[in-house]
């Protein structure tokens, strides 16, 4: 683990005892801090107490005597829609609030690095969609090319649960807006913004607050190099804020669909081909159409972002291309599950919002679309321009009738349950059809996570294909 520096002999409180909270508490103890912990759930508190942690009720006014810092888990609201009572109490007691990401950046560097031949690097990946795939793909490329690498943050393990850095290692961190919004230290070597679309708007009081949380990674983090997806205005604005002039190649512009030949350094995908363009000339081109683990334009955008980082770390185009072809893909993200009688089943349960579902719909033809769940703010209007390949929708979830009514121009059948939707979609399907789970909604009306929803889809599909 990464022992937290700067709090030896000081009392530090930890709020939230999930994966990151427990790792944080252990890392603080390893750094010599006096740690007290709290969670709103009694089972989590009991488990922490059984593991030897000092549980102290942080809702009590006297709990803050001598506390130097509060570290909160990312899922706990600290400003919008309203501050958690413990965070509000920390403010009232003039106790700073941080999260594990901030502690990681304060603590990761070590004096042992002076003896390394190659200094370790930290790459952070944020954005609305594609964070996990970009992060995992980059990690895969690095390992395939022989570079020591770790994957952590919002994917893989908690950041403070990482082992100390090795000579030449690259740590790839997927960071959500919840993580970037509060961290008091953000100092990546390379930072990536994949794209921007409305999400988590209640947590950030609108799109402006959501973008501001992402922007902190670049504006306050001061990375040596930034990789910015410029297919939305937010990306174009951010890239423009970072460059010093037309010839500034510290920012790599990326796109899925646009030619970016005028930028000092760009990586873009059009019609299935990835192109690297630098200082007025083409450097490399890769045919992505045969890369099985990265189907569709949205995955080609992810490939551009991962490729751009790999190139900035000194890897060659041919080595990166070979690694792309061996990438297996991530579970629940355009994941091919199986085939039966010419019908292919694809699990994209991670498509939890309109934008990510739209990208999934654009990646395939002849779609039998399983959708529905806990609808997010803004409705489904943004999906309707992208349903041309949908032969029929099979709607699941608690609000399936309301969801189906919004699918104007699409034949829709209300199935409610995953089992019924998979069975009916396969019964209707013809050879060449794709049964695609791309919910365009959160899972929490029926499942405790998008992973559980995807696993349920896989179970029903395997009953058909086995």
């Amino acid at each position: 683990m990464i022992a937290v520096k700067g709090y030896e002999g000081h009392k530090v409180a930890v709020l939230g005892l999930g994966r990151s909270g427990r790792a944080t508490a252990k890392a603080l103890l390893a750094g010599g801090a006096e740690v007290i912990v709290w969670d709103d759930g009694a089972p989590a508190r009991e488990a922490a107490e059984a593991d030897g942690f000092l549980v102290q009720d942080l809702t009590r006014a006297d709990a803050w005597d001598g506390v130097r810092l509060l570290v909160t888990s990312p899922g706990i609201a600290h400003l919008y829609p309203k501050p958690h009572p413990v965070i509000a109490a920390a403010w009232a007691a003039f106790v700073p609030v941080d999260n594990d990401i901030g502690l990681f950046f304060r603590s990761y560097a070590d004096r042992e690095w002076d003896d390394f031949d190659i200094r370790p690097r930290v790459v952070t990946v944020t954005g609305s969609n594609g964070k996990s795939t970009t992060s995992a793909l980059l990690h895969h490329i690095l390992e395939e090319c022989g570079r020591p690498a770790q994957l952590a943050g919002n994917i893989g393990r908690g950041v403070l649960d990482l082992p100390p850095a090795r000579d030449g290692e690259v740590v790839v961190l997927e960071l959500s807006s919840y993580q970037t919004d509060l961290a008091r230290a953000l100092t990546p070597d390379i930072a990536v913004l994949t794209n921007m679309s409305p999400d988590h708007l209640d947590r950030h009081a609108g799109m402006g607050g959501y973008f501001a949380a992402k922007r902190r990674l670049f504006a306050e983090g001061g990375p040596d190099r930034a990789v910015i997806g410029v297919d939305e205005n937010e990306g174009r604005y951010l890239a423009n804020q970072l460059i010093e002039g037309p010839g500034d190649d510290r920012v790599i512009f990326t796109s899925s669909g646009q030619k970016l030949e005028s930028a000092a350094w760009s990586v873009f995908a059009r019609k299935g081909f990835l192109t690297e363009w630098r200082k007025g000339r083409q450097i490399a081109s890769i045919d992505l159409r045969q890369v099985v683990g990265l189907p569709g334009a949205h995955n080609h955008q992810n490939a551009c972002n991962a490729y751009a980082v790999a190139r900035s770390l000194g890897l060659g185009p041919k080595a990166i291309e070979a690694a792309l072809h061996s990438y297996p893909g991530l579970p629940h993200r355009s994941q091919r599950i199986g085939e039966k009688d010419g019908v292919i089943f694809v699990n994209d349960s991670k498509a939890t919002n309109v934008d990510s579902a739209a990208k999934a719909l654009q990646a395939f033809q002849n779609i039998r679309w399983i959708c529905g769940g806990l609808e997010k703010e803004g409705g489904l209007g943004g999906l309707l321009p992208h349903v041309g390949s949908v032969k029929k929708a099979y709607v699941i979830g608690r609000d399936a009738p309301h969801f189906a009514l919004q699918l104007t121009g699409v034949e829709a059948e209300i199935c409610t349950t995953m089992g019924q939707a998979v069975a009916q979609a396969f019964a209707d399907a013809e050879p060449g059809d794709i049964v695609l789970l791309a919910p365009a909604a959160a899972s929490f009306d029926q499942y405790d996570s998008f992973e559980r929803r995807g696993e349920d889809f896989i179970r029903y599909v395997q009953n058909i294909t086995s």
Side-chain angles (χ1 to χ4, degrees), residues 91-156:
W91 293 350
F94 304 101
V95 173
V97 181
D98 205 346
N99 63 16
D100 61 332
I101 303 302
L103 295 183
F104 169 84
F105 278 111
R106 289 172 180 265
S107 306
Y108 184 55
D110 194 273
R111 290 179 180 174
E112 291 182 358
W113 290 18
D114 293 339
D115 299 323
F116 289 167
D117 292 327
I118 302 175
R119 184 177 65 84
R121 310 288 292 277
V122 178
V123 178
T124 56
V125 181
T126 195
S128 297
N129 300 302
K131 298 186 298 296
S132 295
T133 296
T134 299
S135 300
L137 177 59
L138 175 59
H139 179 255
H140 173 80
I141 292 169
L142 291 166
E143 289 198 320
E144 289 292 296
C145 294
R147 289 288 296 269
Q150 296 281 349
L151 181 64
N154 210 38
I155 187 174

Side-chain angles (χ1 to χ4, degrees), residues 76-92:
I76 297 173
H78 61 270
L79 185 55
Y80 303 112
K82 65 179 181 179
H84 186 280
V86 170
I87 293 177
W91 293 350

Side-chain angles (χ1 to χ4, degrees), residues 26-377:
K26 292 176 182 178
L28 284 161
L29 287 171
E34 177 189 344
V35 180
I36 59 175
V37 301
W38 181 253
D39 192 286
D40 291 338
R45 297 196 299 267
E46 292 165 1
E49 199 162 29
D51 286 344
F53 291 110
L54 177 60
V55 177
Q56 189 166 324
D57 187 352
L58 297 178
T59 64
R60 294 171 55 94
D62 60 359
W64 298 96
D65 294 344
V67 174
R68 172 74 177 274
L69 177 75
L70 171 67
V71 185
T72 181
S73 293
I76 297 173
H78 61 270
L79 185 55
Y80 303 112
K82 65 179 181 179
H84 186 280
V86 170
I87 293 177
W91 293 350
F94 304 101
V95 173
V97 181
D98 205 346
N99 63 16
D100 61 332
I101 303 302
L103 295 183
F104 169 84
F105 278 111
R106 289 172 180 265
S107 306
Y108 184 55
D110 194 273
R111 290 179 180 174
E112 291 182 358
W113 290 18
D114 293 339
D115 299 323
F116 289 167
D117 292 327
I118 302 175
R119 184 177 65 84
R121 310 288 292 277
V122 178
V123 178
T124 56
V125 181
T126 195
S128 297
N129 300 302
K131 298 186 298 296
S132 295
T133 296
T134 299
S135 300
L137 177 59
L138 175 59
H139 179 255
H140 173 80
I141 292 169
L142 291 166
E143 289 198 320
E144 289 292 296
C145 294
R147 289 288 296 269
Q150 296 281 349
L151 181 64
N154 210 38
I155 187 174
R157 62 206 303 182
V159 292
L160 294 173
D161 195 35
L162 289 170
R166 296 171 287 173
D167 193 340
E169 185 168 65
V170 179
V171 172
V172 182
L173 301 182
E174 179 197 338
L175 299 183
S176 72
S177 60
Y178 292 4
Q179 293 166 309
T180 60
D181 197 19
L182 188 61
R184 296 172 71 90
L186 288 167
T187 54
D189 296 288
I190 302 171
V192 180
L193 178 74
T194 60
N195 50 56
M196 286 293 299
S197 62
D199 206 2
H200 307 305
L201 301 188
D202 58 336
R203 177 68 180 263
H204 299 291
M207 191 66 182
Y210 177 48
F211 175 56
K214 302 286 191 184
R215 184 178 179 273
R216 290 190 74 242
L217 189 57
F218 302 85
E220 299 184 33
D224 296 330
R225 172 154 281 125
V227 175
I228 308 291
V230 293
D231 288 332
E232 298 85 30
N233 282 334
E234 290 84 359
R236 288 188 280 272
Y237 168 84
L238 179 58
N240 185 265
Q241 288 273 296
L242 296 175
I243 61 172
E244 293 296 331
D248 188 353
D249 66 357
R250 294 173 304 162
V251 177
I252 305 178
F253 291 68
T254 66
S255 172
S256 176
Q258 299 182 69
K259 281 188 176 182
L260 299 172
E261 297 172 356
S262 298
W265 195 352
S266 64
V267 180
F268 54 89
R270 296 184 76 247
K271 299 180 179 179
F273 285 85
L274 179 153
T275 301
E276 179 186 2
W277 200 272
R278 191 170 188 185
K279 295 183 178 178
R281 66 187 184 94
Q282 182 175 308
I283 303 298
S285 179
I286 298 173
D287 185 352
L288 297 174
R289 295 172 299 176
Q290 304 304 315
V291 179
V292 176
L294 296 167
H298 63 303
N299 276 313
H300 295 174
Q301 182 184 59
N302 299 331
C304 288
N305 289 320
Y307 176 97
V309 175
R311 290 288 287 135
S312 69
L313 289 169
L315 302 182
K318 292 296 184 184
I320 299 171
E321 181 176 5
L324 291 177
H325 281 281
S326 63
Y327 177 65
L330 277 177
H332 314 298
R333 298 158 177 89
S334 297
Q335 178 189 15
R336 180 167 169 160
I337 302 303
E339 181 177 348
K340 178 75 170 181
D341 298 337
V343 178
I344 296 171
F345 297 85
V346 176
N347 167 29
D348 205 334
S349 183
K350 185 61 173 65
T352 59
N353 59 37
V354 164
D355 186 64
S356 56
K359 289 183 166 107
L361 293 175
Q362 293 173 75
F364 302 100
Q365 300 293 320
N366 304 318
I367 298 170
R368 302 283 174 178
W369 177 30
I370 299 176
C371 58
L374 191 63
E375 187 180 326
K376 292 192 174 181
E377 184 177 343

